[in-house]
Amino acid sequence: MQRTVLAESLLGDGRTLQIVTAEPWDAQTLSAVILDAFGHRPVIDPPPPALAETPDTVIAALAQGFGVLALVDNEPAGVVIVSVEGDAAGIHRVSVRPSFQRQGIASAMVAVVLESLALRGVHRVGLIARAEFPPVVAWWQRHGFVEIERNGTSLHLARELPVCVMARTAEETQDLGRRLAGLLRAGDLIIAAGDLGAGKTTLTQGIGVGLNVSGAVISPTFVLSRVHRPLADGPALVHVDAYRLGSPAELYDLDLDASAAEAVTLVEWGTGIAEGLADDRLEIDIRRSLDPEDETRWIFLTPIGERWTAVRSLLEAL
Ligand SMILES: Nc1ncnc2c1ncn2[C@@H]1O[C@H](COP(=O)(O)OP(=O)(O)O)[C@@H](O)[C@H]1O
Ligand SMILES: [Mg+2]
């Protein structure tokens, strides 16, 4: 039967990883993968509900949302089940079979799930993690989840989902930056992610136009950071390229704190490096289409902290 491929990449060993939609007729496979993954974890009390999964319970769960299946050279390797209710979603049964672990398959599945939820207009996603497995909790925290509440050893973790905007051309991406600038004020931090050539600098050019700052916004690859002063009222734009920076310590050496309060600070390649500059931030991730002929970009805007969650509806209207 025809499958919908949501993402495709190569693993370190050259095998092909595909993330596809999980269908009800996969139920046998899905429950087998879930039992294999959870059955190999250390025993905890009470046992995780995943250990009671059957094809029937999987079909029932899929009807509450959707699922994704990871295939490695067509062999089932991982599963995630997602429940959706209005603008909130839950992630369940994140499973990678033991023989396929430590190759980034869970991260790849979760990335696809978060994107799919954002495209559906879901705002917030949560999950239950068990305190008995600190590395698992830390893994979710690295994926942007924070602890909401704790019930015994069950931790409720959640995160905000990005707002997704499509830009068909470089001009549309610049235009989005120009409109986004209308929401920006001094002290704001933006962290921009996406592969080389995704359009981070192109978007920043639009922000520079919208903020009406001096100097052309260009790739600051050789100069690590560049300050664009305001031509009229409004904040300066500090444009940083963290591509060559290995650690937050090197970023601090740039002395960005000195200007942060009066400027909008935008850090390209800042993921994992620049988060410490401000608790509240707008994270931007730019994705290209899977089709190399297609120049469309999907621009994901994730509001982090009160400053940005408060203006989520304005981001959605951009
Ligand atoms: N829809 C689009 N959005 C952004 N850039 C696009 C788009 N289509 C084509 N491009 C081109 O892709 C390149 C993006 O480069 P750049 O903004 O420097 O990326 P990055 O800073 O992410 O490495 C530019 O040459 C731009 O003209
Ligand atoms: Mg760039």
Side-chain angles (χ1 to χ4, degrees):
M1 264 183 259
Q2 193 63 38
R3 293 187 169 285
T4 307
V5 178
L6 301 169
E8 192 172 299
S9 58
L10 287 181
L11 294 178
D13 59 12
R15 289 185 295 175
T16 302
L17 170 66
Q18 282 186 318
I19 313 290
V20 304
T21 54
E23 307 295 343
W25 43 267
D26 290 315
Q28 188 80 46
T29 303
L30 302 175
S31 61
V33 170
I34 293 168
L35 293 180
D36 194 18
F38 280 83
H40 278 83
R41 284 186 172 192
V43 174
I44 49 173
D45 182 34
L51 288 175
E53 207 74 271
T54 66
D56 284 344
T57 60
V58 167
I59 289 173
L62 288 178
Q64 305 294 313
F66 64 96
V68 298
L69 174 62
L71 300 171
V72 173
D73 281 354
N74 286 319
E75 201 184 332
V79 169
V80 176
I81 307 277
V82 184
S83 59
V84 182
E85 206 183 330
D87 65 6
I91 292 181
H92 314 275
R93 313 288 186 261
V94 178
S95 309
V96 177
R97 287 169 59 199
S99 53
F100 290 97
Q101 285 175 5
R102 306 200 166 277
Q103 299 181 79
I105 294 175
S107 283
M109 291 193 297
V110 167
V112 166
V113 163
L114 297 182
E115 275 178 23
S116 304
L117 289 171
L119 291 171
R120 287 167 183 238
V122 173
H123 292 182
R124 207 170 165 72
V125 60
L127 59 96
I128 302 293
R130 291 289 288 265
E132 291 93 332
F133 303 123
V136 174
V137 175
W139 187 89
W140 285 112
Q141 285 166 340
R142 285 200 301 281
H143 289 77
F145 287 79
V146 295
E147 186 178 325
I148 302 297
E149 67 176 349
R150 188 181 279 250
N151 249 321
T153 59
S154 291
L155 309 183
H156 178 195
L157 308 179
R159 63 162 282 169
E160 202 73 24
L161 281 162
V163 172
C164 182
V165 185
M166 187 184 74
R168 287 198 182 79
T169 61
E171 291 68 36
E172 283 190 20
T173 297
Q174 284 195 359
D175 235 42
L176 173 69
R178 203 179 40 73
R179 295 195 302 275
L180 175 60
L183 303 181
L184 297 175
R185 59 188 196 212
D188 281 345
L189 171 66
I190 300 177
I191 298 181
D195 295 338
L196 194 66
K200 300 179 292 296
T201 301
T202 303
L203 182 78
T204 311
Q205 285 165 349
I207 292 175
V209 171
L211 288 178
N212 190 21
V213 292
S214 68
V217 171
I218 53 169
S219 245
T221 306
F222 297 105
V223 184
L224 290 175
S225 91
R226 191 171 265 126
V227 181
H228 300 272
R229 310 229 165 263
L231 292 170
D233 280 350
L237 173 64
V238 177
H239 182 200
V240 185
D241 194 318
Y243 186 66
R244 289 193 163 69
L245 299 182
S247 67
E250 291 176 56
L251 186 69
Y252 287 121
D253 287 346
L254 296 181
D255 225 14
L256 299 172
D257 298 26
S259 56
E262 300 89 58
V264 169
T265 305
L266 185 147
V267 188
E268 294 192 32
W269 301 103
T271 311
I273 292 179
E275 286 82 358
L277 291 175
D279 287 340
D280 292 6
R281 59 188 184 269
L282 182 65
E283 293 187 352
I284 301 183
D285 191 7
I286 308 182
R287 299 295 185 99
R288 304 182 69 132
S289 156
L290 283 183
D291 171 4
E293 303 283 291
D294 185 351
E295 290 289 11
T296 303
R297 303 296 197 269
W298 297 95
I299 301 171
F300 294 91
L301 308 164
T302 308
I304 313 262
E306 178 59 25
R307 155 76 179 111
W308 288 106
T309 50
V311 295
R312 182 183 178 103
S313 58
L314 299 177
L315 295 171
E316 281 167 351
L318 279 174

